[in-house]
């Protein structure tokens, strides 16, 4: 693998939404990573994944040519011409035989804005299919849906991270940031140093909960009950902000009636949180001049994820905190470009600029920018799990391109996902490595990695930043943008897919997003360079960008924030005689997502080489389990083999296992695909499980 000569490039980590600034130097084979002290978000700090992030660039497993499945059923190296011809042939015949919607696209939140945008355009203009969605649906979609409904806009954090430092109280609902974005801890440490208090709700005493002043060890799936219970106490003790509620919100009365039914004894019974801790939390929040509520996947990845987040938002609204300094509600977005990836059209219901594909004005605007007939743009398609569940003759999607996701490991109800993928007539996967999903493909396309491409990413604050190319891609490897351009040309759509490079794609994205909710029209590559990023919305070139939202009003039809009168529900599946424990899933520090990248890095494997199921010692005793024993976790959908890790940190009624591993170790063989009715988020965080000792 050749590499361009050594140079020092300022770019950002390929992994999470914190998008730490880093400097990359040395040749690709021995690339050296350093934290970028000039970047104001991480201020030079990186986590272990960031420090080791250059290892995949020259990894021996790296794909360096396309692969195609031969007559004997093996994946063998091929030319690009052959791989692309096979794809075009498969897409054409699916379309001819079954209609345009028989071709599906599955994208990802790790793609740059340019790639996410072009993938959306590719689906609608080159393929004419409605069926495109992406893995962000499995991530922050419940928070996104709730924020749009209550606040009129979904920008994960509507304020910069530095606002955390000045918050007197922060309630962190279902997030383990000490492991999932460690450099954020410097903000909580500074908050603590200036007298601030951190409260964490989590069924486990995580590293984050251990660093907090108060840990609410709630029963999985009871976040809405907790939020309603806190609101009950705030109303009872007159700690809500009546002026704010009157002047800036609507719909409080119904919410007050609902909160009245969440009296403390009831809340304690359902959540398991002692009444004294509920009262302590309510008082902390109610008496603070500045207070913030932040949610992570713990509260969001549930079949009632939207209800949970709406309940957190109404707490922040009743406290009068949304739009005030060092205060408000925010969602901690997860993937590298989880924010930008949900704004520019790779979602089933969406066009660029966070426009809705069903909205006639949005269609006209984007069709005009694309110079494409509006009536030929498809309508809304299927959401991520529903799309995957529709693969094969029954569901009707016969051909699929996966670009930037490893659904075999990360989608819920893994046994069904495997069956559905196998029922396809044709599967193409673009990745850097032969992921578990790529192993099932008919065509595998080797993609350039983060340090080999130019583009923009939007971090968890809504700050648009530059990803910079330090190396040319290895010979034989294309960027995803080049792949889409070549495919479109072969599909006879060259006219709409000819760009001089990523910046030209961004220029078109600017125009397509102009006037939309996520307005990038005033952002340029140059402006990002000079300002350490630009916060959207940024509607004109002379506009400085918008670090803080909601100071004056909300982007709703009335200008007011909306309270939603929502009642909690039980999780879709509750423990019973056969499956007596809760199962919850999530992450560990040293592995990232489906692990395609991080399971190949020796240093990270040394820290976490297999899934450890966290089990309370009292529970373990019932099953005769000792620390380190192998066991099988079983749910109604499947079984997974994991090693026991006994710890007092977890509730006795709950088992936690991380989802970074494939095959018989996969947590997603167990998880429940029950979907939130609004966001279509699966219930990754709660189902019923039993332990079988080996
Ligand atoms: N190391 C590492 N970092 C990552 C990632 C990674 O894979 N590895 N992925 C990135 C991505 S895409 C994301 S989305 C973020 C996710 O970041 P987080 O949201 O911090 O991660 P999770 O571990 O999924 O879930 C957080 C916590 O929710 C708790 N939880 C489980 N059930 C419930 C519940 O019912 N209620 C509440 N309140 N809490 C519950 C879990 O015990 C867990 O500690 O991390 C990002 N950063
Ligand atoms: N049980 C359980 N399941 C979960 C979760 C959970 O908490 N519990 N969390 C969910 C969440 S929040 C998320 S975000 C998903 C993530 O799950 P996935 O979508 O599987 O995420 P990744 O492992 O990041 O997959 C990205 C894949 O694309 C490749 N890739 C990365 N960047 C690019 C690129 O630019 N181009 C191309 N062509 N390929 C690229 C990587 O090598 C990798 O194989 O998992 C979800 N699944
Ligand atoms: S916190 Fe996220 S962005 Fe920063 S180094 Fe770790 S994985 Fe990379
Ligand atoms: Mo995520």
């Amino acid at each position: 693998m050749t590499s361009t000569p050594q140079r020092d490039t300022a770019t950002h980590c390929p992994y999470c939404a914190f998008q730490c600034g880093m400097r990359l130097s040395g040749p690709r084979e021995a690339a050296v990573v350093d934290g970028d002290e000039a970047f104001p978000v991480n201020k030079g700090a990186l986590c272990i994944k960031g420090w080791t992030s250059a290892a995949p660039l020259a990894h021996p497993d790296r794909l360096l040519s396309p692969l195609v499945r031969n007559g004997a059923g093996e994946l063998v190296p091929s030319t690009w011409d052959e791989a692309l011809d096979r794809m075009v042939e498969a897409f054409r015949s699916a379309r001819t035989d079954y209609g345009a919607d028989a071709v599906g696209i599955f994208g990802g939140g790790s793609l740059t804005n340019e790639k996410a945008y072009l993938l959306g355009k590719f689906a609608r203009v080159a393929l004419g299919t409605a069926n495109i969605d992406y893995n962000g649906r499995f991530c922050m979609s419940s928070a996104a849906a709730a924020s749009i409904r209550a606040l009129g806009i979904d920008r994960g954090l509507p304020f910069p991270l530095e606002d955390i430092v000045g918050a007197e109280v922060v309630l962190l609902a279902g997030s383990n940031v000490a492991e999932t974005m460690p450099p954020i801890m410097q903000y909580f440490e500074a908050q603590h140093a200036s007298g601030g208090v951190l409260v964490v709700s989590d069924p486990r005493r995580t590293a984050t909960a251990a660093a907090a002043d108060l840990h609410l060890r709630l029963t999985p799936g009871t976040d809405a009950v907790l939020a309603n219970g806190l609101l009950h106490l705030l109303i009872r003790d007159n700690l809500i902000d009546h002026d704010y509620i009157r002047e800036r919100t609507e719909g409080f009365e119904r919410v007050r009636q609902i909160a009245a039914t969440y009296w403390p004894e009831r809340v304690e019974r359902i959540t398991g949180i002692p009444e004294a801790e509920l009262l302590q939390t309510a008082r902390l929040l109610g008496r603070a001049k500045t207070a913030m509520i932040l949610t992570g996947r713990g509260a969001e990845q549930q079949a009632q994820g939207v209800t949970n987040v709406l309940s957190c938002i109404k707490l922040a609204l009743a406290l009068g905190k949304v739009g005030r300094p060092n205060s408000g509600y925010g969602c901690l977005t997860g993937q590298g470009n989880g924010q930008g990836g949900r704004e520019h059209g790779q979602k089933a219901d969406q066009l660029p600029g966070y426009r809705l594909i069903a909205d006639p004005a949005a269609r006209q605007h984007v069709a005009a920018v694309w110079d494409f007939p509006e009536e030929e743009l498809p309508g809304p398609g299927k959401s991520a799990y529903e799309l995957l569940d529709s693969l094969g003759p029954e569901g009707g999607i016969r051909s699929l391109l996966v670009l930037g996701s490893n659904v075999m490991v990360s989608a819920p109800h893994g046994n069904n996902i495997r069956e559905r993928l196998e029922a396809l007539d044709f599967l193409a996967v673009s990745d850097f490595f032969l992921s578990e999903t790529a192993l099932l493909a008919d065509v595998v396309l080797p993609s350039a990695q983060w340090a080999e491409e130019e583009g923009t990413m939007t971090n968890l604050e809504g700050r648009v930043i530059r990803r910079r190319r330090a190396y040319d891609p290895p010979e034989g490897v294309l960027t995803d943008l080049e792949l889409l351009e070549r495919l479109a040309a072969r599909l006879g759509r060259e006219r709409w897919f000819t760009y001089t490079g990523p910046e030209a794609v961004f220029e078109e994205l600017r125009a397509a997003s102009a006037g939309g909710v996520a307005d990038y029209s005033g952002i340029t590559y140059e402006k990002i360079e000079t300002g350490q990023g630009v916060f959207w919305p940024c509607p004109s070139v002379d506009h400085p960008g918008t670090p803080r939202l909601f100071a004056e009003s909300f982007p709703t039809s009335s200008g007011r924030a909306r309270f939603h009168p929502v009642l909690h529900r039980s999780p879709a599946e509750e423990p019973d005689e056969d499956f007596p424990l809760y199962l919850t899933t999530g992450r560990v520090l040293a592995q990232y997502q489906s692990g395609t990248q991080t399971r190949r890095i020796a240093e990270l494997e040394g820290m976490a080489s297999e899934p450890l199921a966290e089990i309370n010692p009292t529970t373990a005793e019932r099953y005769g389990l000792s620390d380190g024993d192998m066991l099988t976790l079983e749910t109604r959908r499947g079984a997974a083999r994991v090693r026991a890790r006994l710890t007092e940190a977890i509730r006795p009624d709950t088992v936690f296992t991380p989802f970074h591993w494939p095959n018989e170790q996969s947590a997603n063989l167990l998880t429940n695909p029950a979907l939130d009715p609004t966001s279509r988020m699966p219930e990754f965080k709660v189902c019923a499980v039993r332990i079988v000792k080996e």
Side-chain angles (χ1 to χ4, degrees):
M1 208 187 292
T2 56
S3 77
T4 40
Q6 172 166 347
R7 55 183 121 137
D8 188 343
T9 309
T11 187
H12 296 271
C13 175
Y15 301 121
C16 87
F18 214 70
Q19 282 299 291
C20 291
M22 54 170 55
R23 303 194 76 88
L24 202 55
S25 57
R28 176 168 30 219
E29 297 72 23
V32 177
V33 165
D34 240 322
D36 183 354
E37 304 205 344
F39 188 60
V41 178
N42 58 310
K43 304 178 172 75
L46 300 175
C47 79
I48 185 69
K49 298 185 298 305
W51 289 116
T52 55
S53 61
L57 292 170
H59 194 282
D61 290 353
R62 190 162 176 193
L63 297 170
L64 296 173
S65 83
L67 305 176
V68 297
R69 202 165 287 281
N70 68 12
E74 303 150 337
L75 279 173
V76 292
S78 81
T79 62
W80 274 97
D81 277 337
E82 185 183 356
L84 296 178
D85 282 346
R86 285 227 202 166
M87 286 178 75
V88 167
E89 155 75 28
F91 290 167
R92 280 219 169 105
S93 67
R95 187 188 162 105
T96 311
D97 296 347
Y98 310 106
D101 290 344
V103 183
I105 304 259
F106 201 94
S110 54
L111 306 178
T112 59
N113 289 314
E114 290 76 0
K115 298 199 291 188
Y117 167 83
L118 207 64
L119 194 63
K121 182 178 178 187
F122 180 79
R124 277 64 176 243
V125 172
L127 296 173
T129 179
N131 287 323
I132 172 167
D133 212 57
Y134 79 125
N135 67 11
R137 187 74 70 170
F138 298 153
C139 188
M140 38 14 76
S141 60
S142 293
S147 289
I148 291 168
R149 289 175 70 189
L151 309 173
I153 190 171
D154 154 41
R155 200 185 81 188
L157 293 180
F159 40 72
L161 282 158
E162 67 195 57
D163 282 18
I164 290 175
V165 178
E168 280 178 33
V169 178
V170 178
L171 170 59
L172 195 54
S175 174
N176 182 14
V177 282
E179 293 199 61
T180 55
M181 33 190 76
I184 203 179
M185 294 311 281
Q186 62 190 296
Y187 291 88
F188 289 109
E189 282 153 19
Q191 184 233 1
H192 189 78
S194 46
V197 171
L198 176 63
V199 183
V200 170
S201 72
D202 196 305
R204 304 186 296 144
R205 186 173 168 82
T206 58
T208 315
D213 301 276
L214 180 60
H215 171 211
L216 309 174
R217 206 170 67 157
L218 83 178
T219 311
T222 62
D223 296 85
V225 183
L226 171 61
N228 277 306
L230 292 173
L231 185 58
H232 176 100
L233 293 169
L234 291 167
I235 294 171
R236 188 193 74 183
D237 296 348
N238 198 23
L239 290 170
I240 57 173
D241 186 337
H242 299 280
D243 293 342
Y244 181 95
I245 292 172
R246 192 174 49 249
E247 284 156 24
R248 303 219 40 196
T249 72
E250 59 198 18
F252 183 61
E253 207 33 54
R254 284 279 296 128
V255 163
R256 176 204 289 277
Q257 287 160 14
I258 284 177
T261 66
Y262 287 89
W263 55 90
E265 300 78 5
R266 178 177 181 221
V267 173
E268 174 174 333
R269 198 173 63 243
I270 304 175
T271 63
I273 303 168
E275 199 178 323
E277 289 180 7
L278 295 170
L279 196 59
Q280 190 185 351
T281 309
R283 296 221 164 118
L284 280 167
L285 286 168
R287 289 175 182 165
K289 274 199 284 301
T290 52
M292 215 176 248
I293 300 172
L294 303 174
T295 59
R297 303 303 85 77
E300 299 167 16
Q301 287 174 325
Q302 299 179 27
Q304 57 181 326
V306 175
T307 291
N308 291 342
V309 178
L310 284 172
S311 304
C312 289
I313 295 177
K314 73 187 178 193
L315 206 50
L317 289 173
L319 290 163
K321 297 296 190 250
V322 184
R324 297 254 170 92
N326 305 103
S327 294
Y329 165 76
C331 148
L332 296 165
T333 294
Q335 297 186 83
N337 197 29
Q339 180 69 53
R342 69 198 200 233
E343 297 165 359
H344 298 297
Q346 61 172 331
K347 263 170 89 181
D349 56 351
Q350 196 195 55
L351 287 171
Y354 228 126
R355 289 183 155 92
L356 289 177
I357 202 164
D359 170 11
R363 296 171 64 87
Q364 271 155 26
H365 172 85
V366 174
V369 172
W370 288 350
D371 189 18
F372 187 76
E374 187 250 297
E375 62 281 4
E376 286 183 34
L377 289 178
K382 293 180 199 293
S383 76
Y385 184 77
E386 289 158 305
L387 192 158
L388 296 173
D389 196 35
S390 303
L391 303 179
E394 261 171 61
I397 300 180
R398 313 294 292 239
S399 233
L400 180 72
L401 167 62
V402 177
L403 197 150
S405 183
N406 185 8
V407 291
M408 270 293 288
V409 180
S410 57
H413 194 1
N415 284 323
N416 182 46
I417 298 298
R418 171 182 282 279
E419 275 174 30
R420 301 277 41 93
L421 288 168
E422 285 172 351
L424 279 166
D425 297 341
F426 179 82
L427 172 65
V429 175
S430 163
D431 208 308
F432 326 129
F433 294 108
L434 205 53
S435 71
E436 288 71 23
T437 310
L439 274 169
L440 296 181
D442 301 288
V443 170
V444 181
L445 307 146
S447 168
Q449 293 193 36
W450 58 287
E452 299 156 354
E453 63 176 8
E454 292 281 339
T456 59
M457 307 281 280
T458 306
N459 81 349
L460 75 170
E461 309 167 284
R463 184 197 297 257
V464 185
I465 54 180
R466 282 289 311 281
R467 171 178 276 193
R468 293 184 185 83
R469 178 184 270 208
Y471 311 103
D472 293 332
E475 218 176 296
V477 170
L478 297 183
T479 67
D480 295 316
L481 290 178
E482 289 164 341
L483 165 70
L484 294 175
E485 286 178 57
R486 290 199 191 181
L487 273 175
R490 279 177 148 79
L491 287 160
R493 296 295 197 182
E494 191 167 10
R495 167 157 113 65
W496 289 278
F497 293 88
T498 304
Y499 299 91
T500 49
E503 190 168 3
V505 178
F506 189 76
E507 290 300 307
E508 190 181 284
L509 179 161
R510 288 176 59 197
S513 77
V517 174
D519 192 332
Y520 279 41
S521 59
I523 304 177
T524 63
Y525 274 23
E526 200 189 331
K527 209 162 138 182
I528 298 172
E529 303 277 349
T530 50
Q532 294 289 15
V534 181
F535 289 80
W536 70 261
C538 181
S540 63
V541 177
D542 54 8
H543 189 288
T546 316
R548 292 180 183 79
L549 300 171
F550 316 136
E552 308 287 319
S553 70
F554 293 93
T556 55
S557 48
S558 61
R560 290 161 176 268
R562 301 186 192 114
F563 280 100
H564 286 265
V566 283
L567 287 165
H568 86 280
R569 289 190 307 273
S570 298
E573 192 179 72
E574 287 264 47
D576 58 18
E577 242 170 58
D578 294 335
F579 299 93
L581 298 165
Y582 288 105
L583 174 72
T584 192
T585 63
R587 301 167 159 76
V588 296
L589 170 67
Q591 295 290 349
Y592 189 70
Q593 313 274 65
S594 69
T596 315
Q597 292 142 288
T598 50
R599 280 188 278 113
R600 289 187 161 82
I601 302 176
E603 201 169 345
L604 300 179
E605 276 292 287
M607 292 170 68
S609 60
E610 62 178 339
L612 297 180
E614 294 182 12
I615 301 172
N616 189 288
T618 53
T619 313
E621 206 184 317
R622 282 215 312 274
Y623 293 90
L625 283 171
S626 306
D627 194 59
D629 283 355
M630 288 305 293
L631 61 111
T632 302
L633 294 174
E634 284 181 9
T635 68
R636 288 187 176 80
R637 293 154 295 279
R641 274 192 89 223
V642 291
R643 194 179 293 283
R645 175 165 174 256
L646 304 199
T647 166
E648 299 279 356
I650 192 156
R651 295 169 52 101
D653 60 0
T654 305
V655 176
F656 169 88
T657 191
F659 79 100
H660 311 292
W661 286 270
N663 306 325
E664 74 284 352
Q665 296 178 311
S666 171
N668 277 320
L669 295 171
L670 306 167
T671 47
N672 188 353
L675 301 182
D676 182 284
T678 306
S679 66
R680 320 308 283 166
M681 163 72 81
E683 191 134 85
F684 286 119
K685 286 295 189 266
V686 203
C687 69
V689 70
R690 70 177 165 225
I691 291 174
V692 180
K693 189 182 184 274
E694 296 203 337

